[in-house]
């Protein structure tokens, strides 16, 4: 019997292929990605993680089982601890202050989508919306770990997401997904949320590559 997670992944084959081929990701491998673009990405990702924590906390409150609530609470409290440590490393070596950056239009749209899903949608659909952030990063990390990455900072990024500590958190969430029993209609809603969030993942890297700016300053 096909696992629910496998059904979800099959729905984004084209999206994942586009992500792997994107010049931001390829640039991590061959070292062609400029440091400015990567710094921009780290600052945006740091801001993203702050909103992602909120979404995970809301999902934890909706969990039907205590064990599942504990997973999402642990992840939210730890802010996906491995990612937090990664951000702190880059901010320290580059003296990077995310407060000096404005959340990009894509980042704002993506995090708003996640929070809307977490607050207003059923548990199963909300999980489908946050799952790409977990899973796609793991898949990309594992893919990149196959290559000899000469840039030390880019190699650290790839090894973090292909590392066992991060992959263990992904397995926990996939285990929850695969334990669910959903109707055909609920599955369709999960696929839609999962696919849209996956497209946002592509857009997030693309916006970092373009160092996306607002056409008009959003701050009053």
């Amino acid at each position: 019997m096909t696992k629910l997670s496998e059904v979800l992944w099959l729905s984004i084959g084209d999206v994942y292929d586009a992500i792997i081929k994107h010049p931001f990701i390829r640039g991590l491998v061959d070292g062609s990605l400029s440091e400015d673009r990567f710094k921009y990405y780290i600052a945006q990702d740091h801001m993203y993680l702050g909103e992602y924590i909120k979404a995970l906390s809301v999902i934890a409150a909706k969990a039907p089982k205590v064990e599942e609530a504990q997973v999402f609470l642990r992840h939210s409290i730890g802010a996906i601890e491995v990612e937090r440590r990664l951000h702190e490393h880059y901010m320290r070596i580059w003296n990077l202050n995310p407060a000096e950056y404005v959340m990009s239009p894509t980042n704002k749209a993506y995090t708003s989508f996640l929070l809307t899903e977490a607050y207003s949608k059923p548990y199963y659909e909300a999980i489908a919306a946050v799952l790409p952030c977990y899973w796609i990063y793991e898949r990309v990390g594992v893919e990149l770990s196959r290559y000899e990455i000469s840039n030390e900072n880019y190699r650290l990024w790839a090894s973090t997401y292909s590392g066992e500590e991060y992959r263990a958190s992904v397995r926990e969430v996939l285990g929850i997904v695969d334990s669910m029993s959903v109707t055909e209609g609920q599955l369709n809603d999960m696929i839609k949320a999962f696919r849209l969030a996956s497209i946002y993942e592509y857009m997030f890297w693309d916006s970092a590559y373009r160092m996306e700016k607002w056409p008009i300053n959003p701050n009053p």
Side-chain angles (χ1 to χ4, degrees):
M1 184 177 179
T2 305
K3 293 181 178 179
L4 182 53
S5 61
E6 293 172 351
V7 174
L8 294 175
W9 189 261
L10 287 172
S11 73
I12 64 159
D14 59 327
V15 182
Y16 182 70
D17 185 59
I19 287 171
I20 287 298
K21 293 177 180 177
H22 193 280
F24 186 98
I25 301 301
R26 300 316 307 166
L28 292 172
V29 174
D30 62 23
S32 63
L33 183 69
S34 70
E35 191 173 272
D36 284 345
R37 285 183 168 120
F38 191 70
K39 287 179 179 179
Y40 178 96
Y41 160 77
I42 291 297
Q44 293 296 328
D45 200 37
H46 186 75
M47 289 184 278
Y48 169 93
L49 196 59
E51 300 302 295
Y52 193 66
I53 292 168
K54 299 174 187 176
L56 295 183
S57 299
V58 175
I59 290 172
K62 291 186 173 183
K65 299 177 182 178
V66 172
E67 296 79 8
E68 294 178 7
Q70 289 174 330
V71 168
F72 289 111
L73 280 175
R74 182 160 30 84
H75 291 180
S76 63
I77 293 172
I80 314 298
E81 185 60 31
V82 65
E83 293 186 273
R84 182 187 290 276
R85 291 200 302 269
L86 184 66
H87 288 176
E88 289 175 348
H89 167 77
Y90 290 126
M91 287 186 282
R92 183 175 62 254
I93 64 171
W94 283 323
N95 195 26
L96 187 64
N97 182 8
E100 296 177 357
Y101 290 77
V102 176
M103 180 176 277
S104 71
T106 294
N107 198 354
K108 183 68 173 178
Y110 187 11
T111 53
S112 295
F113 165 73
L114 292 178
L115 288 170
T116 297
E117 288 287 309
Y119 278 105
S120 65
K121 301 297 183 179
Y123 179 64
Y124 59 85
E125 185 177 340
I127 289 180
V130 299
L131 180 57
C133 182
Y134 280 98
W135 203 2
I136 289 177
Y137 268 70
E138 181 206 22
R139 289 292 185 101
V140 170
V142 171
E143 172 67 20
L144 267 56
S145 69
R146 297 171 47 237
Y147 299 92
E148 292 291 335
I149 300 176
S150 59
N151 185 298
E152 181 181 354
N153 288 313
Y154 299 169
R155 185 169 64 249
L156 174 63
W157 187 93
S159 65
T160 295
Y161 291 106
S162 63
E164 178 54 32
E165 186 178 359
Y166 182 78
R167 298 186 74 185
S169 67
V170 177
R171 287 197 299 270
E172 285 186 307
V173 180
L174 290 177
I176 291 173
V177 170
D178 288 331
S179 70
M180 291 179 173
S181 178
V182 295
T183 66
E184 184 176 350
Q186 291 170 338
L187 175 58
N188 288 336
D189 289 339
M190 290 182 74
I191 290 173
K192 289 177 183 177
F194 183 75
R195 183 172 173 82
L196 183 53
S198 298
I199 293 171
Y200 270 125
E201 287 292 330
Y202 171 90
M203 292 171 62
F204 194 93
W205 277 307
D206 183 65
S207 67
Y209 189 77
R210 293 183 290 107
M211 298 180 70
E212 183 184 46
K213 301 293 189 295
W214 290 89
I216 299 174
N217 190 342
N219 295 323

